[in-house]
Amino acid sequence: MMVSVNAPNRESLRSRRRRETEREIHLAALHLARAHGFDKVTVEMISAEAGVSPRTFFNYFPNKDAAIVQGPAELSEELAAEFVSAGPAPAKQVLTELTRLLTRDFSEHPPQREEVHAAFELAREHPQVLAVLLARFDAFAVHIADLVGRRLGEEAGDEVPALMAAIALAAVRQGLDRWARASDDGSPVPYVERSMDLLRTLLAP
Amino acid sequence: MMVSVNAPNRESLRSRRRRETEREIHLAALHLARAHGFDKVTVEMISAEAGVSPRTFFNYFPNKDAAIVQGPAELSEELAAEFVSAGPAPAKQVLTELTRLLTRDFSEHPPQREEVHAAFELAREHPQVLAVLLARFDAFAVHIADLVGRRLGEEAGDEVPALMAAIALAAVRQGLDRWARASDDGSPVPYVERSMDLLRTLLAP
């Protein structure tokens, strides 16, 4: 009983520490990229700034580009589980609830405007950063497609989950980009909602 | 007068030759990736197969991943000019005409199913190929946003052009992926149209 009670806590502690180290390396990388310019930063500099060895660095990131650029995080497990467990529903209702899920998650875990801004700006200037950012957004879309698929009892690659994820991705990417470029330290939620509304308007019959 | 009459032809000959060489290198790269596996192929092998020097290879592609994976090509100049010159119109009408533009272009310059299939399969297996493919699709979306922006007298990064491009991208990517996976040697057009219709259905009020 001790084991089964404690195991989840131990695991969650380990995974929390891992997340913290990952975040420290990321913030060190972002700080150095801003201070010295993207091209000047090396893995050695990032490791030294974060207080880890280069070997540890490579346990977390394959290269400096990946350390500098973070994409949208996966949705919180509680919100995701709530969405999935609501079960099959008409596609339109699922899309409405997916939108609500995204905006709730952004409200509860607000992204840092400066970080998002820096990521989009670096991506505009450096093709290799754009490649990383696009891969992160694509992973986010795959995550969304997986949630929609599980809810509908379909595969993530099936038409409806894949297209819903594409819609969510477009709204999140455009919304975040616009929010990051605006001088708005408030929430990105209205920007994402506005992009979603505009998508609806464009595709309305 | 001679110069001004001949210059465009000379330029177009040079750019046609460039396109042919690019295509030869791409087909050599794709052939080798299929024959030996993606990981085994080198720039030297691709150059030898295409009959160019590695130096020439790097005039066309930054690395083997880029040579192996091609994304959707830019729309033909005539079709693009026709679309842009129609001038401002309500956003919904522009989106309808954009869809027609995409399907006309696919009809007139049909992509090769085997090439598209190979690109999507390699992207599923190799993260670095996925990164190249996503960058190609993103460049295609920027191209579409530019056309829509020019037609509407807006910037490519403005909301409506950017979101229309995101919709077009979702329909093209999903449509091509589905077509490439189907055992269908016909046109990808019905697949792209079907994705667009499904997007409309999902977002209808």
mmCIF file of all heavy atoms in Angstrom, chain A residues 202-204, chain B residues 75-76 78-106 108 140 144 147-148 150-152 164-165 167-168 172 192-193 196-197 200:
data_model
loop_
_atom_site.group_PDB
_atom_site.id
_atom_site.type_symbol
_atom_site.label_atom_id
_atom_site.label_comp_id
_atom_site.label_asym_id
_atom_site.label_seq_id
_atom_site.Cartn_x
_atom_site.Cartn_y
_atom_site.Cartn_z
ATOM 1 N N LEU A 202 -15.481 33.761 -42.029
ATOM 2 C CA LEU A 202 -14.955 33.507 -43.374
ATOM 3 C C LEU A 202 -15.575 32.266 -43.996
ATOM 4 O O LEU A 202 -15.811 32.214 -45.192
ATOM 5 C CB LEU A 202 -13.420 33.332 -43.319
ATOM 6 C CG LEU A 202 -12.616 34.599 -43.023
ATOM 7 C CD1 LEU A 202 -11.143 34.252 -42.844
ATOM 8 C CD2 LEU A 202 -12.789 35.609 -44.151
ATOM 9 N N LEU A 203 -15.844 31.269 -43.157
ATOM 10 C CA LEU A 203 -16.332 29.991 -43.690
ATOM 11 C C LEU A 203 -17.849 29.844 -43.605
ATOM 12 O O LEU A 203 -18.385 28.835 -44.034
ATOM 13 C CB LEU A 203 -15.644 28.829 -42.958
ATOM 14 C CG LEU A 203 -14.193 28.596 -43.406
ATOM 15 C CD1 LEU A 203 -13.442 27.742 -42.410
ATOM 16 C CD2 LEU A 203 -14.148 27.945 -44.788
ATOM 17 N N ALA A 204 -18.516 30.850 -43.056
ATOM 18 C CA ALA A 204 -19.982 30.774 -42.982
ATOM 19 C C ALA A 204 -20.559 30.778 -44.389
ATOM 20 O O ALA A 204 -19.993 31.397 -45.284
ATOM 21 C CB ALA A 204 -20.517 31.958 -42.195
ATOM 22 N N LEU B 75 1.708 29.011 -56.944
ATOM 23 C CA LEU B 75 0.704 28.946 -57.998
ATOM 24 C C LEU B 75 1.277 29.533 -59.286
ATOM 25 O O LEU B 75 2.171 30.375 -59.245
ATOM 26 C CB LEU B 75 -0.538 29.729 -57.572
ATOM 27 C CG LEU B 75 -1.176 29.224 -56.273
ATOM 28 C CD1 LEU B 75 -2.342 30.114 -55.878
ATOM 29 C CD2 LEU B 75 -1.655 27.790 -56.430
ATOM 30 N N SER B 76 0.750 29.088 -60.420
ATOM 31 C CA SER B 76 1.257 29.603 -61.687
ATOM 32 C C SER B 76 0.994 31.108 -61.759
ATOM 33 O O SER B 76 -0.012 31.607 -61.251
ATOM 34 C CB SER B 76 0.598 28.891 -62.866
ATOM 35 O OG SER B 76 -0.679 29.411 -63.086
ATOM 36 N N GLU B 78 0.113 33.117 -64.122
ATOM 37 C CA GLU B 78 -1.100 33.581 -64.814
ATOM 38 C C GLU B 78 -2.304 33.498 -63.881
ATOM 39 O O GLU B 78 -3.077 34.446 -63.742
ATOM 40 C CB GLU B 78 -1.395 32.733 -66.065
ATOM 41 C CG GLU B 78 -0.330 32.789 -67.151
ATOM 42 C CD GLU B 78 0.767 31.746 -66.947
ATOM 43 O OE1 GLU B 78 1.064 31.416 -65.767
ATOM 44 O OE2 GLU B 78 1.313 31.267 -67.949
ATOM 45 N N LEU B 79 -2.479 32.329 -63.238
ATOM 46 C CA LEU B 79 -3.627 32.149 -62.352
ATOM 47 C C LEU B 79 -3.565 33.132 -61.184
ATOM 48 O O LEU B 79 -4.573 33.734 -60.811
ATOM 49 C CB LEU B 79 -3.665 30.712 -61.808
ATOM 50 C CG LEU B 79 -4.047 29.615 -62.807
ATOM 51 C CD1 LEU B 79 -4.067 28.258 -62.111
ATOM 52 C CD2 LEU B 79 -5.397 29.894 -63.435
ATOM 53 N N ALA B 80 -2.363 33.303 -60.620
ATOM 54 C CA ALA B 80 -2.202 34.204 -59.480
ATOM 55 C C ALA B 80 -2.549 35.640 -59.893
ATOM 56 O O ALA B 80 -3.255 36.353 -59.168
ATOM 57 C CB ALA B 80 -0.778 34.124 -58.939
ATOM 58 N N ALA B 81 -2.054 36.053 -61.085
ATOM 59 C CA ALA B 81 -2.301 37.430 -61.551
ATOM 60 C C ALA B 81 -3.793 37.662 -61.773
ATOM 61 O O ALA B 81 -4.338 38.720 -61.441
ATOM 62 C CB ALA B 81 -1.522 37.691 -62.838
ATOM 63 N N GLU B 82 -4.455 36.645 -62.326
ATOM 64 C CA GLU B 82 -5.894 36.739 -62.579
ATOM 65 C C GLU B 82 -6.655 36.934 -61.260
ATOM 66 O O GLU B 82 -7.551 37.772 -61.145
ATOM 67 C CB GLU B 82 -6.335 35.438 -63.267
ATOM 68 C CG GLU B 82 -7.704 35.476 -63.928
ATOM 69 C CD GLU B 82 -8.044 34.100 -64.505
ATOM 70 O OE1 GLU B 82 -7.217 33.533 -65.248
ATOM 71 O OE2 GLU B 82 -9.128 33.588 -64.175
ATOM 72 N N PHE B 83 -6.264 36.156 -60.262
ATOM 73 C CA PHE B 83 -6.902 36.228 -58.938
ATOM 74 C C PHE B 83 -6.684 37.609 -58.304
ATOM 75 O O PHE B 83 -7.634 38.244 -57.853
ATOM 76 C CB PHE B 83 -6.311 35.135 -58.034
ATOM 77 C CG PHE B 83 -6.770 35.180 -56.603
ATOM 78 C CD1 PHE B 83 -8.034 34.721 -56.242
ATOM 79 C CD2 PHE B 83 -5.952 35.683 -55.608
ATOM 80 C CE1 PHE B 83 -8.464 34.766 -54.921
ATOM 81 C CE2 PHE B 83 -6.365 35.738 -54.285
ATOM 82 C CZ PHE B 83 -7.625 35.281 -53.943
ATOM 83 N N VAL B 84 -5.444 38.076 -58.312
ATOM 84 C CA VAL B 84 -5.126 39.360 -57.665
ATOM 85 C C VAL B 84 -5.831 40.514 -58.377
ATOM 86 O O VAL B 84 -6.390 41.414 -57.734
ATOM 87 C CB VAL B 84 -3.596 39.597 -57.643
ATOM 88 C CG1 VAL B 84 -3.274 41.026 -57.225
ATOM 89 C CG2 VAL B 84 -2.918 38.603 -56.699
ATOM 90 N N SER B 85 -5.844 40.468 -59.731
ATOM 91 C CA SER B 85 -6.341 41.618 -60.488
ATOM 92 C C SER B 85 -7.859 41.737 -60.393
ATOM 93 O O SER B 85 -8.422 42.762 -60.779
ATOM 94 C CB SER B 85 -5.896 41.530 -61.951
ATOM 95 O OG SER B 85 -6.516 40.414 -62.554
ATOM 96 N N ALA B 86 -8.549 40.705 -59.907
ATOM 97 C CA ALA B 86 -10.005 40.807 -59.751
ATOM 98 C C ALA B 86 -10.344 41.844 -58.676
ATOM 99 O O ALA B 86 -11.482 42.311 -58.591
ATOM 100 C CB ALA B 86 -10.610 39.453 -59.395
ATOM 101 N N GLY B 87 -9.381 42.185 -57.834
ATOM 102 C CA GLY B 87 -9.547 43.300 -56.891
ATOM 103 C C GLY B 87 -10.412 42.982 -55.690
ATOM 104 O O GLY B 87 -10.901 41.853 -55.519
ATOM 105 N N PRO B 88 -10.598 44.003 -54.826
ATOM 106 C CA PRO B 88 -11.320 43.812 -53.567
ATOM 107 C C PRO B 88 -12.715 43.233 -53.779
ATOM 108 O O PRO B 88 -13.380 43.522 -54.775
ATOM 109 C CB PRO B 88 -11.404 45.233 -52.996
ATOM 110 C CG PRO B 88 -10.256 45.960 -53.597
ATOM 111 C CD PRO B 88 -10.111 45.384 -54.974
ATOM 112 N N ALA B 89 -13.129 42.391 -52.845
ATOM 113 C CA ALA B 89 -14.457 41.766 -52.869
ATOM 114 C C ALA B 89 -14.725 41.325 -51.435
ATOM 115 O O ALA B 89 -13.804 41.281 -50.616
ATOM 116 C CB ALA B 89 -14.461 40.574 -53.825
ATOM 117 N N PRO B 90 -15.977 40.998 -51.104
ATOM 118 C CA PRO B 90 -16.252 40.505 -49.751
ATOM 119 C C PRO B 90 -15.388 39.276 -49.457
ATOM 120 O O PRO B 90 -15.130 38.460 -50.349
ATOM 121 C CB PRO B 90 -17.738 40.134 -49.800
ATOM 122 C CG PRO B 90 -18.301 40.952 -50.907
ATOM 123 C CD PRO B 90 -17.199 41.087 -51.923
ATOM 124 N N ALA B 91 -14.964 39.163 -48.200
ATOM 125 C CA ALA B 91 -14.011 38.114 -47.818
ATOM 126 C C ALA B 91 -14.497 36.722 -48.221
ATOM 127 O O ALA B 91 -13.718 35.890 -48.679
ATOM 128 C CB ALA B 91 -13.742 38.187 -46.313
ATOM 129 N N LYS B 92 -15.807 36.463 -48.047
ATOM 130 C CA LYS B 92 -16.317 35.128 -48.375
ATOM 131 C C LYS B 92 -16.150 34.801 -49.850
ATOM 132 O O LYS B 92 -15.824 33.683 -50.209
ATOM 133 C CB LYS B 92 -17.798 35.040 -48.021
ATOM 134 C CG LYS B 92 -18.032 34.641 -46.577
ATOM 135 C CD LYS B 92 -19.506 34.624 -46.264
ATOM 136 C CE LYS B 92 -19.756 35.338 -44.963
ATOM 137 N NZ LYS B 92 -21.185 35.458 -44.670
ATOM 138 N N GLN B 93 -16.427 35.821 -50.685
ATOM 139 C CA GLN B 93 -16.270 35.616 -52.130
ATOM 140 C C GLN B 93 -14.797 35.354 -52.463
ATOM 141 O O GLN B 93 -14.484 34.479 -53.283
ATOM 142 C CB GLN B 93 -16.777 36.855 -52.870
ATOM 143 C CG GLN B 93 -16.739 36.689 -54.392
ATOM 144 C CD GLN B 93 -17.090 37.987 -55.103
ATOM 145 O OE1 GLN B 93 -17.862 38.805 -54.592
ATOM 146 N NE2 GLN B 93 -16.525 38.194 -56.282
ATOM 147 N N VAL B 94 -13.905 36.092 -51.808
ATOM 148 C CA VAL B 94 -12.477 35.906 -52.053
ATOM 149 C C VAL B 94 -12.060 34.484 -51.664
ATOM 150 O O VAL B 94 -11.299 33.832 -52.382
ATOM 151 C CB VAL B 94 -11.644 36.954 -51.286
ATOM 152 C CG1 VAL B 94 -10.154 36.661 -51.416
ATOM 153 C CG2 VAL B 94 -11.957 38.352 -51.801
ATOM 154 N N LEU B 95 -12.606 33.986 -50.553
ATOM 155 C CA LEU B 95 -12.247 32.634 -50.126
ATOM 156 C C LEU B 95 -12.750 31.590 -51.127
ATOM 157 O O LEU B 95 -12.054 30.622 -51.442
ATOM 158 C CB LEU B 95 -12.802 32.333 -48.727
ATOM 159 C CG LEU B 95 -12.380 30.971 -48.172
ATOM 160 C CD1 LEU B 95 -10.864 30.867 -48.004
ATOM 161 C CD2 LEU B 95 -13.061 30.673 -46.849
ATOM 162 N N THR B 96 -13.965 31.793 -51.629
ATOM 163 C CA THR B 96 -14.506 30.881 -52.639
ATOM 164 C C THR B 96 -13.619 30.879 -53.878
ATOM 165 O O THR B 96 -13.289 29.823 -54.427
ATOM 166 C CB THR B 96 -15.940 31.307 -53.033
ATOM 167 O OG1 THR B 96 -16.731 31.343 -51.848
ATOM 168 C CG2 THR B 96 -16.559 30.343 -54.021
ATOM 169 N N GLU B 97 -13.218 32.079 -54.295
ATOM 170 C CA GLU B 97 -12.381 32.163 -55.498
ATOM 171 C C GLU B 97 -10.970 31.628 -55.230
ATOM 172 O O GLU B 97 -10.334 31.088 -56.137
ATOM 173 C CB GLU B 97 -12.342 33.608 -56.007
ATOM 174 C CG GLU B 97 -13.689 34.005 -56.589
ATOM 175 C CD GLU B 97 -13.756 35.461 -57.037
ATOM 176 O OE1 GLU B 97 -12.698 36.067 -57.283
ATOM 177 O OE2 GLU B 97 -14.872 35.986 -57.127
ATOM 178 N N LEU B 98 -10.516 31.767 -53.994
ATOM 179 C CA LEU B 98 -9.205 31.207 -53.633
ATOM 180 C C LEU B 98 -9.237 29.675 -53.731
ATOM 181 O O LEU B 98 -8.308 29.046 -54.253
ATOM 182 C CB LEU B 98 -8.819 31.635 -52.213
ATOM 183 C CG LEU B 98 -7.528 31.038 -51.645
ATOM 184 C CD1 LEU B 98 -6.316 31.424 -52.482
ATOM 185 C CD2 LEU B 98 -7.329 31.474 -50.190
ATOM 186 N N THR B 99 -10.343 29.096 -53.259
ATOM 187 C CA THR B 99 -10.499 27.644 -53.354
ATOM 188 C C THR B 99 -10.478 27.203 -54.813
ATOM 189 O O THR B 99 -9.810 26.223 -55.174
ATOM 190 C CB THR B 99 -11.836 27.210 -52.711
ATOM 191 O OG1 THR B 99 -11.902 27.763 -51.399
ATOM 192 C CG2 THR B 99 -11.935 25.709 -52.624
ATOM 193 N N ARG B 100 -11.215 27.962 -55.666
ATOM 194 C CA ARG B 100 -11.254 27.620 -57.083
ATOM 195 C C ARG B 100 -9.847 27.741 -57.694
ATOM 196 O O ARG B 100 -9.431 26.921 -58.505
ATOM 197 C CB ARG B 100 -12.252 28.542 -57.810
ATOM 198 C CG ARG B 100 -12.839 27.908 -59.070
ATOM 199 C CD ARG B 100 -13.893 28.795 -59.698
ATOM 200 N NE ARG B 100 -14.952 29.143 -58.752
ATOM 201 C CZ ARG B 100 -15.524 30.344 -58.677
ATOM 202 N NH1 ARG B 100 -15.148 31.331 -59.476
ATOM 203 N NH2 ARG B 100 -16.483 30.572 -57.793
ATOM 204 N N LEU B 101 -9.136 28.790 -57.279
ATOM 205 C CA LEU B 101 -7.757 29.004 -57.752
ATOM 206 C C LEU B 101 -6.872 27.809 -57.418
ATOM 207 O O LEU B 101 -6.121 27.302 -58.261
ATOM 208 C CB LEU B 101 -7.215 30.275 -57.094
ATOM 209 C CG LEU B 101 -5.739 30.639 -57.290
ATOM 210 C CD1 LEU B 101 -5.483 31.034 -58.740
ATOM 211 C CD2 LEU B 101 -5.339 31.787 -56.365
ATOM 212 N N LEU B 102 -6.958 27.330 -56.168
ATOM 213 C CA LEU B 102 -6.132 26.199 -55.731
ATOM 214 C C LEU B 102 -6.462 24.942 -56.524
ATOM 215 O O LEU B 102 -5.563 24.223 -56.974
ATOM 216 C CB LEU B 102 -6.347 25.928 -54.236
ATOM 217 C CG LEU B 102 -5.859 27.007 -53.270
ATOM 218 C CD1 LEU B 102 -6.323 26.695 -51.854
ATOM 219 C CD2 LEU B 102 -4.339 27.103 -53.308
ATOM 220 N N THR B 103 -7.754 24.673 -56.704
ATOM 221 C CA THR B 103 -8.121 23.430 -57.391
ATOM 222 C C THR B 103 -7.793 23.522 -58.891
ATOM 223 O O THR B 103 -7.385 22.530 -59.491
ATOM 224 C CB THR B 103 -9.610 23.091 -57.178
ATOM 225 O OG1 THR B 103 -10.409 24.183 -57.620
ATOM 226 C CG2 THR B 103 -9.910 22.835 -55.712
ATOM 227 N N ARG B 104 -7.920 24.722 -59.478
ATOM 228 C CA ARG B 104 -7.524 24.878 -60.883
ATOM 229 C C ARG B 104 -6.039 24.634 -61.037
ATOM 230 O O ARG B 104 -5.600 23.968 -61.974
ATOM 231 C CB ARG B 104 -7.850 26.293 -61.381
ATOM 232 C CG ARG B 104 -9.167 26.379 -62.136
ATOM 233 C CD ARG B 104 -9.412 27.792 -62.631
ATOM 234 N NE ARG B 104 -8.584 28.186 -63.762
ATOM 235 C CZ ARG B 104 -8.502 29.433 -64.225
ATOM 236 N NH1 ARG B 104 -9.208 30.408 -63.639
ATOM 237 N NH2 ARG B 104 -7.754 29.725 -65.258
ATOM 238 N N ASP B 105 -5.267 25.177 -60.105
ATOM 239 C CA ASP B 105 -3.814 25.005 -60.189
ATOM 240 C C ASP B 105 -3.419 23.537 -60.039
ATOM 241 O O ASP B 105 -2.568 23.044 -60.768
ATOM 242 C CB ASP B 105 -3.115 25.855 -59.120
ATOM 243 C CG ASP B 105 -1.624 25.976 -59.408
ATOM 244 O OD1 ASP B 105 -1.266 26.703 -60.362
ATOM 245 O OD2 ASP B 105 -0.821 25.337 -58.704
ATOM 246 N N PHE B 106 -4.073 22.834 -59.116
ATOM 247 C CA PHE B 106 -3.791 21.400 -58.952
ATOM 248 C C PHE B 106 -4.205 20.610 -60.197
ATOM 249 O O PHE B 106 -3.602 19.593 -60.509
ATOM 250 C CB PHE B 106 -4.503 20.829 -57.722
ATOM 251 C CG PHE B 106 -3.752 21.061 -56.439
ATOM 252 C CD1 PHE B 106 -4.382 21.621 -55.340
ATOM 253 C CD2 PHE B 106 -2.418 20.707 -56.329
ATOM 254 C CE1 PHE B 106 -3.695 21.838 -54.157
ATOM 255 C CE2 PHE B 106 -1.716 20.910 -55.147
ATOM 256 C CZ PHE B 106 -2.363 21.483 -54.065
ATOM 257 N N GLU B 108 -4.208 21.822 -63.318
ATOM 258 C CA GLU B 108 -3.314 22.140 -64.430
ATOM 259 C C GLU B 108 -1.886 21.648 -64.185
ATOM 260 O O GLU B 108 -1.168 21.331 -65.123
ATOM 261 C CB GLU B 108 -3.327 23.654 -64.701
ATOM 262 C CG GLU B 108 -4.685 24.117 -65.240
ATOM 263 C CD GLU B 108 -4.750 25.627 -65.479
ATOM 264 O OE1 GLU B 108 -3.686 26.272 -65.540
ATOM 265 O OE2 GLU B 108 -5.876 26.142 -65.594
ATOM 266 N N PHE B 140 4.226 28.169 -48.465
ATOM 267 C CA PHE B 140 3.057 28.158 -49.338
ATOM 268 C C PHE B 140 1.954 29.043 -48.754
ATOM 269 O O PHE B 140 1.327 29.839 -49.466
ATOM 270 C CB PHE B 140 2.565 26.711 -49.513
ATOM 271 C CG PHE B 140 1.353 26.571 -50.396
ATOM 272 C CD1 PHE B 140 1.435 26.755 -51.764
ATOM 273 C CD2 PHE B 140 0.115 26.249 -49.844
ATOM 274 C CE1 PHE B 140 0.308 26.628 -52.575
ATOM 275 C CE2 PHE B 140 -1.012 26.106 -50.647
ATOM 276 C CZ PHE B 140 -0.914 26.304 -52.016
ATOM 277 N N ILE B 144 0.167 32.397 -50.354
ATOM 278 C CA ILE B 144 -1.283 32.598 -50.476
ATOM 279 C C ILE B 144 -1.699 33.889 -49.755
ATOM 280 O O ILE B 144 -2.482 34.690 -50.284
ATOM 281 C CB ILE B 144 -2.057 31.399 -49.852
ATOM 282 C CG1 ILE B 144 -1.724 30.089 -50.569
ATOM 283 C CG2 ILE B 144 -3.556 31.657 -49.858
ATOM 284 C CD1 ILE B 144 -2.229 30.001 -51.976
ATOM 285 N N LEU B 147 -0.936 36.832 -51.909
ATOM 286 C CA LEU B 147 -1.886 37.018 -53.015
ATOM 287 C C LEU B 147 -3.186 37.635 -52.510
ATOM 288 O O LEU B 147 -3.723 38.574 -53.101
ATOM 289 C CB LEU B 147 -2.198 35.684 -53.701
ATOM 290 C CG LEU B 147 -1.064 34.971 -54.444
ATOM 291 C CD1 LEU B 147 -1.585 33.693 -55.080
ATOM 292 C CD2 LEU B 147 -0.448 35.883 -55.495
ATOM 293 N N VAL B 148 -3.700 37.094 -51.394
ATOM 294 C CA VAL B 148 -4.966 37.612 -50.842
ATOM 295 C C VAL B 148 -4.771 39.060 -50.399
ATOM 296 O O VAL B 148 -5.616 39.922 -50.660
ATOM 297 C CB VAL B 148 -5.448 36.743 -49.659
ATOM 298 C CG1 VAL B 148 -6.662 37.370 -48.977
ATOM 299 C CG2 VAL B 148 -5.789 35.329 -50.132
ATOM 300 N N ARG B 150 -2.592 41.269 -51.545
ATOM 301 C CA ARG B 150 -2.477 42.162 -52.705
ATOM 302 C C ARG B 150 -3.849 42.405 -53.326
ATOM 303 O O ARG B 150 -4.176 43.513 -53.736
ATOM 304 C CB ARG B 150 -1.521 41.571 -53.734
ATOM 305 C CG ARG B 150 -0.053 41.924 -53.408
ATOM 306 C CD ARG B 150 0.927 40.976 -54.058
ATOM 307 N NE ARG B 150 0.797 40.918 -55.502
ATOM 308 C CZ ARG B 150 1.222 39.904 -56.266
ATOM 309 N NH1 ARG B 150 1.786 38.857 -55.693
ATOM 310 N NH2 ARG B 150 1.074 39.940 -57.559
ATOM 311 N N ARG B 151 -4.655 41.375 -53.367
ATOM 312 C CA ARG B 151 -5.985 41.534 -53.950
ATOM 313 C C ARG B 151 -6.848 42.483 -53.115
ATOM 314 O O ARG B 151 -7.605 43.293 -53.649
ATOM 315 C CB ARG B 151 -6.664 40.166 -54.050
ATOM 316 C CG ARG B 151 -8.117 40.292 -54.430
ATOM 317 C CD ARG B 151 -8.689 39.032 -54.981
ATOM 318 N NE ARG B 151 -10.084 39.258 -55.289
ATOM 319 C CZ ARG B 151 -10.878 38.387 -55.863
ATOM 320 N NH1 ARG B 151 -10.403 37.217 -56.215
ATOM 321 N NH2 ARG B 151 -12.140 38.678 -56.098
ATOM 322 N N LEU B 152 -6.755 42.363 -51.787
ATOM 323 C CA LEU B 152 -7.603 43.159 -50.895
ATOM 324 C C LEU B 152 -6.986 44.508 -50.546
ATOM 325 O O LEU B 152 -7.602 45.308 -49.849
ATOM 326 C CB LEU B 152 -7.887 42.386 -49.600
ATOM 327 C CG LEU B 152 -8.676 41.086 -49.724
ATOM 328 C CD1 LEU B 152 -8.817 40.418 -48.363
ATOM 329 C CD2 LEU B 152 -10.054 41.330 -50.350
ATOM 330 N N MET B 164 -7.172 33.350 -44.044
ATOM 331 C CA MET B 164 -7.552 32.662 -45.283
ATOM 332 C C MET B 164 -6.448 31.717 -45.719
ATOM 333 O O MET B 164 -6.707 30.599 -46.176
ATOM 334 C CB MET B 164 -7.806 33.677 -46.393
ATOM 335 C CG MET B 164 -9.227 34.142 -46.432
ATOM 336 S SD MET B 164 -9.525 34.975 -47.985
ATOM 337 C CE MET B 164 -10.858 36.013 -47.436
ATOM 338 N N ALA B 165 -5.212 32.170 -45.591
ATOM 339 C CA ALA B 165 -4.081 31.311 -45.948
ATOM 340 C C ALA B 165 -4.037 30.089 -45.038
ATOM 341 O O ALA B 165 -3.733 28.980 -45.492
ATOM 342 C CB ALA B 165 -2.775 32.090 -45.870
ATOM 343 N N ILE B 167 -6.598 28.621 -43.634
ATOM 344 C CA ILE B 167 -7.670 27.724 -44.087
ATOM 345 C C ILE B 167 -7.233 26.963 -45.336
ATOM 346 O O ILE B 167 -7.387 25.737 -45.429
ATOM 347 C CB ILE B 167 -8.962 28.531 -44.387
ATOM 348 C CG1 ILE B 167 -9.535 29.122 -43.097
ATOM 349 C CG2 ILE B 167 -9.993 27.646 -45.082
ATOM 350 C CD1 ILE B 167 -10.634 30.144 -43.341
ATOM 351 N N ALA B 168 -6.683 27.712 -46.305
ATOM 352 C CA ALA B 168 -6.229 27.083 -47.549
ATOM 353 C C ALA B 168 -5.169 26.024 -47.243
ATOM 354 O O ALA B 168 -5.194 24.916 -47.787
ATOM 355 C CB ALA B 168 -5.667 28.131 -48.506
ATOM 356 N N VAL B 172 -5.393 22.077 -48.132
ATOM 357 C CA VAL B 172 -4.412 21.500 -49.055
ATOM 358 C C VAL B 172 -3.620 20.393 -48.366
ATOM 359 O O VAL B 172 -3.448 19.296 -48.907
ATOM 360 C CB VAL B 172 -3.460 22.597 -49.593
ATOM 361 C CG1 VAL B 172 -2.258 21.975 -50.291
ATOM 362 C CG2 VAL B 172 -4.205 23.515 -50.552
ATOM 363 N N VAL B 192 -8.955 17.785 -51.787
ATOM 364 C CA VAL B 192 -8.787 19.141 -51.263
ATOM 365 C C VAL B 192 -10.164 19.807 -51.105
ATOM 366 O O VAL B 192 -10.439 20.460 -50.096
ATOM 367 C CB VAL B 192 -7.865 19.978 -52.187
ATOM 368 C CG1 VAL B 192 -7.827 21.434 -51.739
ATOM 369 C CG2 VAL B 192 -6.454 19.389 -52.195
ATOM 370 N N GLU B 193 -11.040 19.591 -52.103
ATOM 371 C CA GLU B 193 -12.392 20.178 -52.028
ATOM 372 C C GLU B 193 -13.171 19.601 -50.850
ATOM 373 O O GLU B 193 -13.894 20.305 -50.164
ATOM 374 C CB GLU B 193 -13.148 19.917 -53.334
ATOM 375 C CG GLU B 193 -12.748 20.879 -54.434
ATOM 376 C CD GLU B 193 -13.408 20.560 -55.764
ATOM 377 O OE1 GLU B 193 -13.864 19.412 -55.959
ATOM 378 O OE2 GLU B 193 -13.436 21.456 -56.622
ATOM 379 N N MET B 196 -12.039 21.204 -47.690
ATOM 380 C CA MET B 196 -12.573 22.564 -47.590
ATOM 381 C C MET B 196 -14.052 22.528 -47.192
ATOM 382 O O MET B 196 -14.493 23.310 -46.341
ATOM 383 C CB MET B 196 -12.378 23.275 -48.929
ATOM 384 C CG MET B 196 -12.718 24.743 -48.922
ATOM 385 S SD MET B 196 -11.649 25.738 -47.830
ATOM 386 C CE MET B 196 -10.289 26.105 -48.945
ATOM 387 N N ASP B 197 -14.819 21.611 -47.785
ATOM 388 C CA ASP B 197 -16.241 21.491 -47.442
ATOM 389 C C ASP B 197 -16.413 21.113 -45.977
ATOM 390 O O ASP B 197 -17.302 21.623 -45.291
ATOM 391 C CB ASP B 197 -16.921 20.429 -48.324
ATOM 392 C CG ASP B 197 -17.125 20.929 -49.752
ATOM 393 O OD1 ASP B 197 -17.029 22.155 -49.950
ATOM 394 O OD2 ASP B 197 -17.357 20.094 -50.637
ATOM 395 N N ARG B 200 -15.924 24.027 -43.765
ATOM 396 C CA ARG B 200 -17.128 24.875 -43.763
ATOM 397 C C ARG B 200 -18.183 24.295 -42.828
ATOM 398 O O ARG B 200 -18.817 25.015 -42.066
ATOM 399 C CB ARG B 200 -17.731 24.956 -45.175
ATOM 400 C CG ARG B 200 -16.994 25.873 -46.106
ATOM 401 C CD ARG B 200 -17.747 25.946 -47.459
ATOM 402 N NE ARG B 200 -16.862 26.368 -48.520
ATOM 403 C CZ ARG B 200 -16.504 27.633 -48.723
ATOM 404 N NH1 ARG B 200 -16.995 28.587 -47.957
ATOM 405 N NH2 ARG B 200 -15.673 27.952 -49.678
#
